[in-house]
Amino acid sequence: MTALGHHLLAEFTGCDAASLADLKGVTSAMLEAARASGATIVTHSFHHFSPHGVSGAVIIAESHLAVHTWPEHGFAAVDYFSCGFVDTGAAMAVLRVAFGATAMETLNLTRGPLGHPG
Amino acid sequence: MTALGHHLLAEFTGCDAASLADLKGVTSAMLEAARASGATIVTHSFHHFSPHGVSGAVIIAESHLAVHTWPEHGFAAVDYFSCGFVDTGAAMAVLRVAFGATAMETLNLTRGPLGHPG
């Protein structure tokens, strides 16, 4: 099987609460992460959760990069769906620094119909 | 552990190629799916892939609903990240009909730091 897409789920823990609550900072970090991965940015949308946190996504030509943050738990959930040649590791490295995370766990999934002949 | 978020990954196979290639149709289906789930839509962004397919996301107050389609394979990959009380099953039912899928496989993941006390 040849995967049609790759979906990286990343969980950042031990993050700096103020960084995760900063709408402008999270937006900038996500755009920088998308650029660091070599992706072509189409548009983006970010907003504050109530009562805390930031949520949003960067729509890229190669798919999407989304984040949801919980400052009160020092936690951020990221997912990067990609269908082209992008360096998702570079994107995660940018976010880890920007969020001040002490740890990151990732799960790499392939997306596509099982048995797709490739 | 109490999950902070839920992430539903869904793969639709045996879909109608014309439906998956229709930017306006996919956009309408995704917005209808978000509404069917009870989510509050913040904004949305959809675009054509090159050379085929549609990609995009609905940003909702409760998180995001994203899709990437491959008409040439009759395949669509969807993910619904939710942090509130939304009926993701209702959203998937709308998409299954809209895409003319003959089958759907789902993977339900919880998101949040392990050991989070809830």
Side-chain angles (χ1 to χ4, degrees), chain B residues 13-73:
Chain B
T13 49
C15 299
D16 175 59
S19 298
L20 295 189
D22 176 7
L23 177 61
K24 195 171 169 184
V26 170
T27 304
S28 295
M30 289 286 285
L31 292 171
E32 186 186 342
R35 283 190 292 264
S37 72
T40 304
I41 296 170
V42 175
T43 186
H44 66 275
S45 173
F46 289 87
H47 66 284
H48 269 300
F49 267 137
S50 177
H52 307 293
V54 174
S55 181
V58 183
I59 306 295
I60 62 175
E62 297 80 3
S63 291
H64 78 258
L65 172 61
V67 68
H68 308 288
T69 76
W70 286 261
E72 69 276 32
H73 297 295

Side-chain angles (χ1 to χ4, degrees), chain B residues 8 10-12 15 28-30 32-37 65 78 80 87-106:
Chain B
L8 172 67
E11 312 223 313
F12 296 89
C15 299
S28 295
M30 289 286 285
E32 186 186 342
R35 283 190 292 264
S37 72
L65 172 61
V78 169
Y80 197 148
D87 183 353
T88 55
M92 296 307 118
V94 167
L95 295 177
R96 184 168 183 164
V97 171
F99 296 162
T102 57
M104 177 181 81
E105 287 185 71
T106 60

Side-chain angles (χ1 to χ4, degrees), chain A residues 34 57 82 89:
Chain A
S82 58

Side-chain angles (χ1 to χ4, degrees), chain A residues 85-98:
Chain A
F85 299 99
V86 294
D87 183 352
T88 54
M92 296 308 118
V94 167
L95 294 177
R96 184 168 183 164
V97 171

Side-chain angles (χ1 to χ4, degrees), chain A residues 34-45:
Chain A
R35 283 190 291 265
S37 71
T40 304
I41 296 170
V42 175
T43 186
H44 67 274
S45 173

